[in-house]
Amino acid sequence: MFQSRKTFKDRDYILTVEDIFFTVVGYVHPPNRVVAYPKYAPEKRKKSYRRVLPFYTIGCLKEALAHLKEEYPEYLYVDENGLEFSAVPLERIKTHYCPEKKVEELLSRKPKDELEALASKIVLELSKESGVPIEFFGLTGSILIGLHHPKFSDVDITVYGRKNSLKVKETILNLYEKRNSNFKKFSGEILKSWCEDKARLYPLTVTEAEKLYKRIWNRGIYSKKMFSIHPIRLDEEIKERYGEKVYSQNGLVEAEAIVKDSTESIFMPSTYLVEDVKVKSGLDVKVKEVVSYEGLYGGIFEEGEKIVVKGVLEKVESRVSKENYWRIVVGSLKADGKDYIKPKKF
């Protein structure tokens, strides 16, 4: 069972003293701060909120950070490597929203609207079909913080723990194949619109986006409502602490590689251990892993598969084990949205 927790995890939300909602990113946070992106800000002179970060893209993130720099510079943080990102000081947090607590809340009362009712139904069905106890599920996004629109909002689900997440993955892939299942993959106009959006926001063609979606297990339709599923680490699965590693960027690289281990790719950030790396452009070094902060590429490449990647080359130096290695990062500000991971053969 989950107890009340003080740790801040990926997909949690926090509300600041200015009533700005931030969504927590990852698990490694600076001392007395929480790495998080601004998501919803109150409209001036209105009792409503506007989306500060409409899409999780580099362009939208840059705009959100520019807004913070102008209006709330105290929410920007520069680390020892000179990288600037948004990190909320603990003393400015008014409320910490935990997705698993939202499920507990919804199942203990009557739903306020049809979206809350549907979200509860989806979680209960996934728990029953997968055998994963209900306490390892959560609801994030607008439902978590009560800003959802019953007609237009999606249902964003969290699953806690690697084993639990893999059980849910296997279950939902099976449910997609059942004729009478409520769980469906995107198709028709919905799939077309999704692919066109991804081609507009990422360095992908519409055809490439459609082929990538065939690999994606955690985005679909339930009773005509879009849903997403996000694996989240349990406390014992969080291995890194802030400051244990030093990262230094070394420009953009393009490379081909074979996926050696995809075990950690279901989490954010998605990590693929790679081998037989051939650098096509940029500094030619021995690369150990490809890491994506872009959720589109998470958990979709299998061990033994050849991939092509473009991203920022980083040297990683461990202060704990003294291990040094190189990695390619996708989804960093420095790449300016031009980075990607693709299969060598679609």
Side-chain angles (χ1 to χ4, degrees):
M1 291 288 291
F2 274 99
Q3 304 297 322
S4 295
R5 59 178 169 85
K6 295 182 180 180
T7 55
F8 292 88
K9 296 185 178 183
D10 194 48
R11 299 280 171 172
D12 287 0
Y13 271 69
I14 50 183
L15 179 66
T16 69
V17 294
E18 299 88 359
D19 289 329
I20 302 172
F21 285 101
F22 284 72
T23 180
V24 177
V25 180
Y27 312 87
V28 182
H29 309 289
N32 301 313
R33 284 180 178 262
V34 180
V35 178
Y37 296 150
K39 192 65 184 288
Y40 300 97
E43 291 279 16
K44 293 180 180 179
R45 299 181 297 277
K46 291 183 181 180
K47 294 182 179 180
S48 62
Y49 277 81
R50 61 182 177 85
R51 293 188 67 162
V52 179
L53 192 66
F55 301 102
Y56 290 101
T57 63
I58 294 301
C60 291
L61 180 56
K62 283 186 173 182
E63 290 180 9
L65 294 179
H67 173 74
L68 285 181
K69 183 171 289 188
E70 182 177 345
E71 299 289 337
Y72 306 101
E74 62 271 26
Y75 289 117
L76 292 180
Y77 181 79
V78 180
D79 68 9
E80 61 183 28
N81 302 306
L83 298 177
E84 185 178 60
F85 50 89
S86 57
V88 179
L90 293 181
E91 67 268 17
R92 303 196 72 81
I93 296 175
K94 188 160 64 173
T95 309
H96 176 198
Y97 295 85
C98 300
E100 70 274 16
K101 293 298 180 182
K102 191 65 178 184
V103 168
E104 184 180 308
E105 175 198 332
L106 290 189
L107 296 181
S108 67
R109 62 167 172 81
K110 290 183 178 180
K112 295 178 181 178
D113 52 54
E114 61 266 35
L115 188 63
E116 284 193 351
L118 185 66
S120 298
K121 184 179 179 182
I122 295 174
V123 170
L124 285 169
E125 187 169 342
L126 283 175
S127 176
K128 179 182 177 181
E129 293 290 336
S130 66
V132 173
I134 196 70
E135 60 262 31
F136 291 100
F137 287 88
L139 286 165
T140 186
S142 58
I143 292 178
L144 173 60
I145 55 179
L147 291 183
H148 62 277
H149 190 291
K151 297 292 185 184
F152 306 115
S153 297
D154 300 337
V155 177
D156 302 307
I157 301 161
T158 54
V159 183
Y160 294 85
R162 179 185 291 104
K163 289 184 179 179
N164 293 332
S165 297
L166 292 177
K167 284 182 181 179
V168 171
K169 177 182 179 180
E170 181 182 5
T171 297
I172 203 162
L173 287 173
N174 289 331
L175 289 171
Y176 286 147
E177 298 298 321
K178 291 186 177 181
R179 180 172 296 181
N180 297 325
S181 172
N182 288 315
F183 292 92
K184 306 290 184 184
K185 292 276 283 184
F186 294 166
S187 61
E189 288 299 315
I190 293 176
L191 177 59
K192 180 182 177 183
S193 177
W194 186 89
C195 293
E196 289 173 348
D197 281 345
K198 293 298 175 283
R200 176 172 54 87
L201 297 170
Y202 299 95
L204 299 168
T205 66
V206 172
T207 299
E208 287 176 335
E210 184 172 359
K211 289 180 177 179
L212 274 186
Y213 179 70
K214 291 179 179 179
R215 297 165 169 260
I216 293 174
W217 63 273
N218 61 337
R219 287 175 174 80
I221 299 287
Y222 184 97
S223 297
K224 299 181 180 180
K225 177 64 66 175
M226 287 188 181
F227 70 86
S228 64
I229 302 173
H230 307 277
I232 307 294
R233 296 183 188 277
L234 293 170
D235 286 350
E236 58 267 29
E237 294 172 337
I238 303 173
K239 303 301 182 181
E240 184 180 348
R241 297 293 182 268
Y242 186 83
E244 290 181 347
K245 294 180 180 179
V246 178
Y247 303 90
S248 53
Q249 297 185 336
N250 290 266
L252 286 171
V253 294
E254 296 179 73
E256 294 182 1
I258 294 176
V259 177
K260 181 180 180 181
D261 190 334
S262 60
T263 306
E264 298 295 314
S265 68
I266 61 173
F267 298 116
M268 173 63 70
S270 305
T271 301
Y272 296 95
L273 296 182
V274 292
E275 59 186 358
D276 295 336
V277 180
K278 298 177 181 178
V279 176
K280 300 297 184 180
S281 68
L283 185 62
D284 191 358
V285 294
K286 186 176 182 180
V287 175
K288 177 182 178 181
E289 62 186 27
V290 173
V291 177
S292 177
Y293 286 87
E294 170 47 63
L296 182 65
Y297 306 116
I300 64 172
F301 300 107
E302 302 296 333
E303 293 169 8
E305 184 174 11
K306 182 171 284 189
I307 58 174
V308 292
V309 56
K310 181 177 181 179
V312 174
L313 182 67
E314 284 190 348
K315 185 177 183 181
V316 183
E317 300 174 85
S318 174
R319 288 170 169 162
V320 178
S321 66
K322 304 302 180 182
E323 177 191 18
N324 299 334
Y325 61 92
W326 295 87
R327 69 179 190 172
I328 300 175
V329 177
V330 174
S332 71
L333 289 171
K334 189 170 184 178
D336 199 27
K338 299 175 182 178
D339 46 358
Y340 55 79
I341 311 173
K342 300 178 184 180
K344 176 67 174 176
K345 294 182 179 180
F346 271 106

